[in-house]
Amino acid sequence: MSEFNDNEEGYVYVIGSDAKHYYQASDEAKLQGCESVIVSVTCHDGVTLGSGSTQYKCRTCGGSLNSHSKECAMRTTVSGDDGLDLSGLDELENEYNAEAAALQSQIDALEAENAELVKQIAAATVEEAATLRQQYNRNKDEITRLESDLSAVRKKQDELAQAKEEAAADNAVPTDDYYRIPALMQECRNAYSLTWQGDGWWSGYSYLREATAPNINGTITFKATLSIARKPKYFLGIKIHRAIMQISWELTAEYSDTEVVDIIELNPAMSESEKATLVNDRLSEIARQYPSCEITTEYVKSEPVEEDTTTDTYHLLWASDRLEIARQVEARLTNIFADLVALEKMMNYKLSIIDVLKDIAPFVNDERGRRLTLVEECRRRWLRGAANSLHSVDYNGKYEETDDERREERE
C-alpha cells in the first residue's frame, strides 16, 4: 500500500470492502430426488453512452435555482437573453455628470467671488477689511464643502465607469447560449436513433427522459442537471453580469441479462447432505465470480416410478409371430409402392391429337387402282390362301382386300 501511495499525483489508496451480497443456499430438502441443478445469474449493468456539460448566460436568472431557471433551461429560442439592459447605467451617468457640473459651477463662482474680495480688502480700510475677510472665509469654507461633495460625485463616476467596463466584458466568458436541454436531446436522438418513451420529468433540478434504441437492449435514460456556474453581479441594483447556468448531461443505458453459468450433475448414489455440500460450494464460487448479479437455482427432479395396480397381463410375441407381422407389413408396402408407380405412369402418359383422329376417322384406301408389283401380287395370293375367312371376292370375280387385311398390312 505504501508503494501505491508514493506517487506524484498525490493519490491516497486505502483498503476497503464492499457490502455483503447474499444469495440463497441449497439444503437437503430441496435436493431430495434431484438429478441436476441449473444455476443461472441475472446481471444488471449500466453503461454511459455519452456525457458532457454546457453553459449559457441567462439575463433573467437570479442567484439561486428556481422554477424560472427550469423554464429558461428548457427554452428552444433565447432571443430574450441576447444581452444586458444597461439603460440604468446611462441614466446614472447623466445624473452624476449633471451633479458634478452643478458643484463645479458653484465652486467656480465662489472662487471668483473670493478673488474679487481679495482686491477689495487690499483697497479697503481696516474696519471694511475685517468684514470682507469674514466673507472670504465663509466662501472658503463653502468651497471646501463643495469640493468634498464633488470628490464623492467623482468617485461615483469612477465606480460607474468601472461597472460599465465590467458590463462590457460580460461576453468575455465563452458560453453556448443557444445550446440548452432541447438541443442536447435532439443531438442525442440523432446520434443514437433514439425513440423517446413518454414525456420527461424534473427530479429536483435534474431533467430525465427515457428512450429506446434499435441496437441497444435496455432502457436508455437522458439526464440533465442544472446548476449555477457564476452568480449574477449588480451595481446599485442594476445587473452588470448575467448568471452563467451550467447543464451537466449524460446518456446511460441499463439492461439485465440472464444466462446459465453451470449445470451441476448429481450422482444418485450420493447422500442428500453430500449433494447439498457440493451444490453450496459451487454456488459460493459463482457468487464470488459474479458479485453484482442475482443467483437463481432450478432443481431438476426425476418423476417417481408409478406403481401398476391394474390386473392387466402383458403378452410377448414369439419370434415367428414378429416375422409374420413384418412380412405382412412388407407386402402392404410393396402393394402401395406398385400403386404409386402405376399412378405415376398414368399421370405421365400422353396421347397426341393425331392418334385420336386416326382412331375416329374412316379408313381411306389410297392403294386402290394402283398396279401391283410381282412381290405385292404374290403376297396377296399368299394371304388369300392362308386366310380365306378374312377375304372376300367382288361380283366380277376380282379380289378385293378387306379392312382387316389392310390394317394388318400396315402393322
Side-chain angles (χ1 to χ4, degrees):
M1 185 62 63
S2 60
E3 293 179 359
F4 282 106
N5 289 329
D6 186 12
N7 56 79
E8 298 178 356
E9 292 81 5
Y11 295 146
V12 178
Y13 296 90
V14 295
I15 298 178
S17 61
D18 296 333
K20 293 182 178 180
H21 182 66
Y22 296 94
Y23 63 93
Q24 188 173 7
S26 182
D27 54 23
E28 298 180 6
K30 295 179 181 179
L31 293 173
Q32 187 174 4
C34 184
E35 295 181 348
S36 60
V37 179
I38 302 175
V39 184
S40 305
V41 293
T42 302
C43 300
H44 304 276
D45 199 1
V47 61
T48 301
L49 303 178
S51 62
S53 63
T54 182
Q55 295 181 349
Y56 64 92
K57 298 182 181 71
C58 180
R59 180 172 61 86
T60 57
C61 297
S64 59
L65 296 175
N66 50 30
S67 59
H68 178 74
S69 302
K70 297 178 182 179
E71 296 175 1
C72 186
M74 294 299 295
R75 290 180 183 176
T76 56
T77 57
V78 289
S79 58
D81 284 347
D82 290 342
L84 293 168
D85 184 9
L86 302 179
S87 59
L89 295 180
D90 297 334
E91 294 176 359
L92 283 177
E93 185 178 12
N94 295 332
E95 180 182 349
Y96 291 161
N97 291 338
E99 186 177 356
L103 291 174
Q104 188 63 46
S105 177
Q106 293 179 15
I107 292 172
D108 293 341
L110 290 174
E111 288 180 348
E113 183 180 353
N114 280 351
E116 185 64 27
L117 288 174
V118 170
K119 294 179 182 179
Q120 292 178 5
I121 290 172
T125 61
V126 176
E127 295 161 351
E128 293 175 349
T131 303
L132 294 173
R133 192 172 288 108
Q134 290 177 358
Q135 182 63 33
Y136 177 85
N137 291 333
R138 286 195 296 271
N139 291 344
K140 191 68 174 176
D141 294 338
E142 183 66 17
I143 290 173
T144 302
R145 187 186 65 81
L146 292 175
E147 287 179 346
S148 177
D149 293 343
L150 181 60
S151 177
V153 173
R154 298 293 186 193
K155 183 178 180 181
K156 291 180 180 180
Q157 287 180 327
D158 294 338
E159 292 176 353
L160 179 61
Q162 184 178 358
K164 294 186 72 173
E165 290 180 0
E166 292 184 4
D170 178 58
N171 292 323
V173 179
T175 56
D176 300 323
D177 293 333
Y178 297 92
Y179 210 62
R180 305 193 183 181
I181 292 179
L184 293 172
M185 290 194 298
Q186 182 65 26
E187 187 174 274
C188 293
R189 178 178 178 271
N190 296 335
Y192 295 95
S193 301
L194 301 180
T195 301
W196 299 114
Q197 303 296 318
D199 299 329
W201 69 93
W202 285 94
S203 177
Y205 293 99
S206 296
Y207 180 80
L208 298 97
R209 193 173 184 181
E210 293 182 349
T212 57
N215 55 346
I216 298 177
N217 183 18
T219 302
I220 301 174
T221 304
F222 172 83
K223 182 179 180 182
T225 302
L226 188 62
S227 61
I228 299 177
R230 187 188 70 181
K231 292 185 177 181
K233 187 176 182 179
Y234 297 88
F235 175 76
L236 298 179
I238 301 173
K239 184 180 292 186
I240 60 175
H241 277 175
R242 290 173 291 177
I244 296 181
M245 311 300 293
Q246 178 170 319
I247 301 175
S248 300
W249 65 273
E250 62 177 356
L251 191 67
T252 58
E254 296 181 358
Y255 60 92
S256 60
D257 185 21
T258 302
E259 62 175 339
V260 177
V261 295
D262 194 6
I263 299 178
I264 306 174
E265 299 291 343
L266 301 177
N267 188 355
M270 297 173 61
S271 63
E272 307 301 337
S273 59
E274 292 175 345
K275 293 180 180 179
T277 302
L278 176 63
V279 172
N280 288 332
D281 291 343
R282 181 56 182 147
L283 290 178
S284 178
E285 296 177 1
I286 296 174
R288 288 192 298 267
Q289 186 178 0
Y290 301 92
S292 59
C293 301
E294 299 176 1
I295 301 175
T296 56
T297 54
E298 182 180 356
Y299 300 94
V300 181
K301 298 182 179 180
S302 59
E303 297 293 336
V305 179
E306 297 182 359
E307 296 182 1
D308 187 8
T309 59
T310 64
T311 58
D312 297 338
T313 304
Y314 298 93
H315 298 277
L316 300 178
L317 294 175
W318 294 96
S320 58
D321 296 336
R322 293 196 295 270
L323 291 175
E324 182 65 24
I325 293 175
R327 292 191 186 100
Q328 294 177 4
V329 172
E330 184 180 6
R332 293 178 60 187
L333 291 176
T334 303
N335 294 333
I336 293 173
F337 179 75
D339 294 341
L340 291 175
V341 171
L343 180 62
E344 184 180 5
K345 288 183 178 180
M346 293 180 61
M347 293 177 64
N348 294 332
Y349 178 75
K350 295 181 180 179
L351 185 64
S352 65
I353 189 65
I354 298 177
D355 297 334
V356 176
L357 293 177
K358 286 182 178 181
D359 291 338
I360 63 177
F363 175 76
V364 178
N365 186 8
D366 56 352
E367 299 290 337
R368 186 171 183 174
R370 185 175 65 84
R371 184 178 181 86
L372 301 178
T373 63
L374 180 61
V375 176
E376 291 175 344
E377 185 66 26
C378 293
R379 179 178 178 276
R380 283 192 177 186
R381 290 178 180 179
W382 175 78
L383 289 174
R384 184 179 55 187
N388 290 325
S389 61
L390 299 176
H391 299 160
S392 63
V393 179
D394 58 4
Y395 65 92
N396 291 325
K398 294 182 179 180
Y399 171 78
E400 184 178 357
E401 190 176 19
T402 63
D403 294 340
D404 295 336
E405 185 179 357
R406 286 192 293 270
R407 186 180 297 107
E408 184 180 358
E409 185 178 355
R410 286 200 304 272
E411 293 177 355

